[in-house]
């Protein structure tokens, strides 16, 4: 009997594409190529599909969880959608805790996969509040917290998949890797892999400028800094403003045909700054999700 793939088997091996118009003088005239890794092509629509799959599968392999259990996670959106998908695939109940200022599209996607969600007041701590509540619920025996912020399976997913894909897709030519920083699993795992292949590769993280509130880009208070985050793995940080990220999201769709989210556009802002400083480089940035998750915010109007 022929064996067919499942939806989980389609996670990863996403396209890597060259930007044609936005780079302008920072591109070919300087010998630079700017490449976008299209993680919105994953089945639940974001780079977080990789970590969600790895965290659940590896927890099962260790005997930490089994189908039928209740899983709990604090999330700002994409991880929650990815975990909701994986819970549906593998037979778990999923409770997601998130700030109440997240876009309605992301909430609707989680509900479509059958997840329950608890909204926390954004003006009372938002994600920090959500993380504390998740741990409290676990202590009360209401479920198992996978904890993307401290779970080594999160960056390991990118060490094992995203990093090798970028190395192979660029034939080892990648010189700079640029990523938004939120949970930091993506940038940590990819950085570790790429550095194992070429220690000279530069790792650049996009963080929010003062006052910016860009979904998917965070700078955590010291007490809540993800334990998976190793600052020595990042060579440079770029502070991304709200307006420039939103403007770049519109440009990315209208000029390149890539409909990405706002944090993806923030990573491109950072990549463009890098391109303006270097020559003869291959610069890769992560398009971590799709823009249709942000239509209700008015960013694309």
């Amino acid at each position: 009997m022929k064996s067919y793939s499942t939806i989980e088997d389609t996670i990863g091996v996403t396209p890597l594409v060259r930007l044609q118009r936005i780079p302008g003088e920072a591109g070919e005239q300087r010998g630079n190529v700017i490449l976008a890794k299209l993680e919105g092509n994953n089945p639940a629509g974001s780079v977080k599909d990789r970590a969600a799959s790895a965290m659940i599968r590896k927890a099962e392999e260790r005997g930490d969880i089994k189908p039928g259990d209740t899983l709990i996670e604090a999330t700002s959106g994409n991880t929650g959608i990815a975990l909701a998908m994986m819970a549906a695939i593998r037979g778990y109940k999923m409770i997601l805790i998130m700030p109440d200022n997240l876009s309605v599209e992301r909430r609707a996607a989680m509900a479509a996969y059958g997840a329950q969600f608890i909204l926390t007041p954004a003006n009372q701590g938002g994600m920090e509040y959500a993380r504390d509540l998740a741990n409290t619920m676990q202590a009360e025996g209401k479920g198992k917290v996978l904890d993307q912020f401290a779970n080594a399976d999160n960056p390991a997913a990118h060490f094992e998949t995203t990093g090798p894909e970028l190395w192979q897709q660029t034939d080892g030519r990648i010189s700079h890797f640029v990523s938004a920083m939120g949970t930091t699993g993506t940038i940590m795992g990819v950085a570790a892999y790429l550095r194992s292949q070429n220690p000279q590769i530069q790792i650049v993280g996009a963080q929010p400028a003062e006052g910016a509130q860009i979904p998917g880009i965070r700078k955590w208070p010291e007490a809540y800094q993800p334990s998976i985050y190793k600052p020595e793995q990042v060579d440079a940080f770029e502070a991304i403003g709200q307006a420039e990220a939103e403007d770049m999201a519109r440009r990315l769709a209208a000029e390149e045909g890539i409909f990405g989210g706002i944090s993806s556009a923030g990573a491109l802002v950072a990549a463009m700054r890098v391109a303006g400083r270097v020559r003869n480089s291959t610069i890769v940035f992560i398009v971590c999700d799709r823009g249709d998750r942000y239509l209700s915010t008015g960013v694309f109007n």
Side-chain angles (χ1 to χ4, degrees), residues 80-81 84 96 98 104-117:
I81 296 170
L96 300 168
M98 69 203 78
V104 295
E105 292 91 348
R106 284 184 283 177
R107 295 187 209 175
M110 296 172 196
Y113 285 120
Q116 303 174 45
F117 50 88

mmCIF file of all heavy atoms in Angstrom, residues 80-81 84 96 98 104-117:
data_model
loop_
_atom_site.group_PDB
_atom_site.id
_atom_site.type_symbol
_atom_site.label_atom_id
_atom_site.label_comp_id
_atom_site.label_asym_id
_atom_site.label_seq_id
_atom_site.Cartn_x
_atom_site.Cartn_y
_atom_site.Cartn_z
ATOM 1 N N GLY A 80 1.172 29.868 19.419
ATOM 2 C CA GLY A 80 -0.122 29.332 19.809
ATOM 3 C C GLY A 80 -0.849 28.677 18.649
ATOM 4 O O GLY A 80 -1.434 27.599 18.797
ATOM 5 N N ILE A 81 -0.816 29.316 17.491
ATOM 6 C CA ILE A 81 -1.469 28.738 16.314
ATOM 7 C C ILE A 81 -0.792 27.423 15.932
ATOM 8 O O ILE A 81 -1.451 26.418 15.650
ATOM 9 C CB ILE A 81 -1.444 29.721 15.138
ATOM 10 C CG1 ILE A 81 -2.268 30.963 15.469
ATOM 11 C CG2 ILE A 81 -1.972 29.062 13.857
ATOM 12 C CD1 ILE A 81 -2.108 32.096 14.480
ATOM 13 N N ALA A 84 -1.630 24.778 18.471
ATOM 14 C CA ALA A 84 -3.024 24.351 18.292
ATOM 15 C C ALA A 84 -3.132 23.365 17.134
ATOM 16 O O ALA A 84 -3.855 22.360 17.226
ATOM 17 C CB ALA A 84 -3.916 25.564 18.054
ATOM 18 N N LEU A 96 -4.337 28.048 25.493
ATOM 19 C CA LEU A 96 -3.388 29.099 25.144
ATOM 20 C C LEU A 96 -3.710 30.367 25.928
ATOM 21 O O LEU A 96 -4.870 30.767 26.024
ATOM 22 C CB LEU A 96 -3.459 29.377 23.640
ATOM 23 C CG LEU A 96 -3.121 28.171 22.752
ATOM 24 C CD1 LEU A 96 -3.492 28.455 21.305
ATOM 25 C CD2 LEU A 96 -1.655 27.793 22.876
ATOM 26 N N MET A 98 -2.809 34.428 26.302
ATOM 27 C CA MET A 98 -2.211 35.470 25.473
ATOM 28 C C MET A 98 -2.769 36.841 25.834
ATOM 29 O O MET A 98 -3.873 36.948 26.382
ATOM 30 C CB MET A 98 -2.483 35.176 24.000
ATOM 31 C CG MET A 98 -3.935 35.323 23.610
ATOM 32 S SD MET A 98 -4.379 34.382 22.156
ATOM 33 C CE MET A 98 -4.500 32.746 22.895
ATOM 34 N N VAL A 104 -7.414 39.782 15.808
ATOM 35 C CA VAL A 104 -8.533 38.839 15.824
ATOM 36 C C VAL A 104 -8.262 37.647 14.911
ATOM 37 O O VAL A 104 -8.755 36.543 15.158
ATOM 38 C CB VAL A 104 -9.851 39.530 15.420
ATOM 39 C CG1 VAL A 104 -10.238 40.576 16.440
ATOM 40 C CG2 VAL A 104 -9.749 40.159 14.030
ATOM 41 N N GLU A 105 -7.461 37.856 13.857
ATOM 42 C CA GLU A 105 -7.158 36.741 12.944
ATOM 43 C C GLU A 105 -6.425 35.628 13.672
ATOM 44 O O GLU A 105 -6.698 34.436 13.458
ATOM 45 C CB GLU A 105 -6.307 37.222 11.766
ATOM 46 C CG GLU A 105 -7.025 38.156 10.821
ATOM 47 C CD GLU A 105 -6.860 39.617 11.188
ATOM 48 O OE1 GLU A 105 -6.379 39.911 12.308
ATOM 49 O OE2 GLU A 105 -7.231 40.466 10.373
ATOM 50 N N ARG A 106 -5.471 36.004 14.530
ATOM 51 C CA ARG A 106 -4.713 34.979 15.242
ATOM 52 C C ARG A 106 -5.589 34.231 16.249
ATOM 53 O O ARG A 106 -5.501 33.015 16.378
ATOM 54 C CB ARG A 106 -3.482 35.602 15.899
ATOM 55 C CG ARG A 106 -2.393 35.891 14.867
ATOM 56 C CD ARG A 106 -1.133 36.423 15.490
ATOM 57 N NE ARG A 106 -1.278 37.835 15.862
ATOM 58 C CZ ARG A 106 -0.336 38.529 16.480
ATOM 59 N NH1 ARG A 106 0.793 37.940 16.821
ATOM 60 N NH2 ARG A 106 -0.512 39.807 16.761
ATOM 61 N N ARG A 107 -6.439 34.952 16.948
ATOM 62 C CA ARG A 107 -7.363 34.280 17.872
ATOM 63 C C ARG A 107 -8.268 33.312 17.109
ATOM 64 O O ARG A 107 -8.519 32.188 17.554
ATOM 65 C CB ARG A 107 -8.234 35.314 18.589
ATOM 66 C CG ARG A 107 -7.492 36.260 19.501
ATOM 67 C CD ARG A 107 -8.515 37.088 20.262
ATOM 68 N NE ARG A 107 -7.995 38.397 20.619
ATOM 69 C CZ ARG A 107 -8.708 39.353 21.198
ATOM 70 N NH1 ARG A 107 -9.978 39.139 21.470
ATOM 71 N NH2 ARG A 107 -8.168 40.521 21.497
ATOM 72 N N ALA A 108 -8.789 33.759 15.966
ATOM 73 C CA ALA A 108 -9.704 32.924 15.184
ATOM 74 C C ALA A 108 -9.006 31.662 14.686
ATOM 75 O O ALA A 108 -9.616 30.581 14.658
ATOM 76 C CB ALA A 108 -10.267 33.718 14.009
ATOM 77 N N ALA A 109 -7.737 31.786 14.293
ATOM 78 C CA ALA A 109 -7.003 30.616 13.818
ATOM 79 C C ALA A 109 -6.832 29.587 14.934
ATOM 80 O O ALA A 109 -7.005 28.382 14.714
ATOM 81 C CB ALA A 109 -5.638 31.037 13.276
ATOM 82 N N MET A 110 -6.507 30.049 16.131
ATOM 83 C CA MET A 110 -6.358 29.131 17.269
ATOM 84 C C MET A 110 -7.673 28.405 17.548
ATOM 85 O O MET A 110 -7.695 27.188 17.773
ATOM 86 C CB MET A 110 -5.919 29.907 18.505
ATOM 87 C CG MET A 110 -4.552 30.544 18.391
ATOM 88 S SD MET A 110 -4.240 31.634 19.806
ATOM 89 C CE MET A 110 -2.834 32.577 19.179
ATOM 90 N N ALA A 111 -8.770 29.167 17.528
ATOM 91 C CA ALA A 111 -10.074 28.566 17.785
ATOM 92 C C ALA A 111 -10.438 27.546 16.707
ATOM 93 O O ALA A 111 -11.029 26.504 16.995
ATOM 94 C CB ALA A 111 -11.142 29.653 17.861
ATOM 95 N N ALA A 112 -10.074 27.840 15.462
ATOM 96 C CA ALA A 112 -10.381 26.917 14.361
ATOM 97 C C ALA A 112 -9.731 25.558 14.577
ATOM 98 O O ALA A 112 -10.312 24.524 14.224
ATOM 99 C CB ALA A 112 -9.923 27.525 13.030
ATOM 100 N N TYR A 113 -8.539 25.546 15.161
ATOM 101 C CA TYR A 113 -7.854 24.286 15.443
ATOM 102 C C TYR A 113 -8.372 23.606 16.710
ATOM 103 O O TYR A 113 -7.889 22.533 17.079
ATOM 104 C CB TYR A 113 -6.349 24.522 15.585
ATOM 105 C CG TYR A 113 -5.626 24.765 14.275
ATOM 106 C CD1 TYR A 113 -4.942 25.960 14.053
ATOM 107 C CD2 TYR A 113 -5.596 23.795 13.279
ATOM 108 C CE1 TYR A 113 -4.253 26.180 12.866
ATOM 109 C CE2 TYR A 113 -4.922 24.011 12.090
ATOM 110 C CZ TYR A 113 -4.249 25.202 11.893
ATOM 111 O OH TYR A 113 -3.571 25.418 10.715
ATOM 112 N N GLY A 114 -9.334 24.224 17.388
ATOM 113 C CA GLY A 114 -9.944 23.597 18.559
ATOM 114 C C GLY A 114 -9.329 23.973 19.891
ATOM 115 O O GLY A 114 -9.676 23.385 20.917
ATOM 116 N N ALA A 115 -8.434 24.952 19.901
ATOM 117 C CA ALA A 115 -7.797 25.347 21.158
ATOM 118 C C ALA A 115 -8.728 26.227 21.989
ATOM 119 O O ALA A 115 -9.548 26.961 21.452
ATOM 120 C CB ALA A 115 -6.502 26.099 20.875
ATOM 121 N N GLN A 116 -8.557 26.137 23.309
ATOM 122 C CA GLN A 116 -9.185 27.086 24.222
ATOM 123 C C GLN A 116 -8.177 28.203 24.477
ATOM 124 O O GLN A 116 -6.974 27.953 24.470
ATOM 125 C CB GLN A 116 -9.532 26.425 25.545
ATOM 126 C CG GLN A 116 -10.441 25.218 25.438
ATOM 127 C CD GLN A 116 -10.607 24.544 26.777
ATOM 128 O OE1 GLN A 116 -10.825 25.178 27.801
ATOM 129 N NE2 GLN A 116 -10.499 23.225 26.778
ATOM 130 N N PHE A 117 -8.650 29.420 24.701
ATOM 131 C CA PHE A 117 -7.680 30.454 25.030
ATOM 132 C C PHE A 117 -8.167 31.358 26.139
ATOM 133 O O PHE A 117 -9.361 31.550 26.354
ATOM 134 C CB PHE A 117 -7.208 31.252 23.812
ATOM 135 C CG PHE A 117 -8.271 31.789 22.922
ATOM 136 C CD1 PHE A 117 -8.843 33.025 23.148
ATOM 137 C CD2 PHE A 117 -8.690 31.064 21.811
ATOM 138 C CE1 PHE A 117 -9.807 33.531 22.296
ATOM 139 C CE2 PHE A 117 -9.654 31.569 20.957
ATOM 140 C CZ PHE A 117 -10.223 32.807 21.199
#
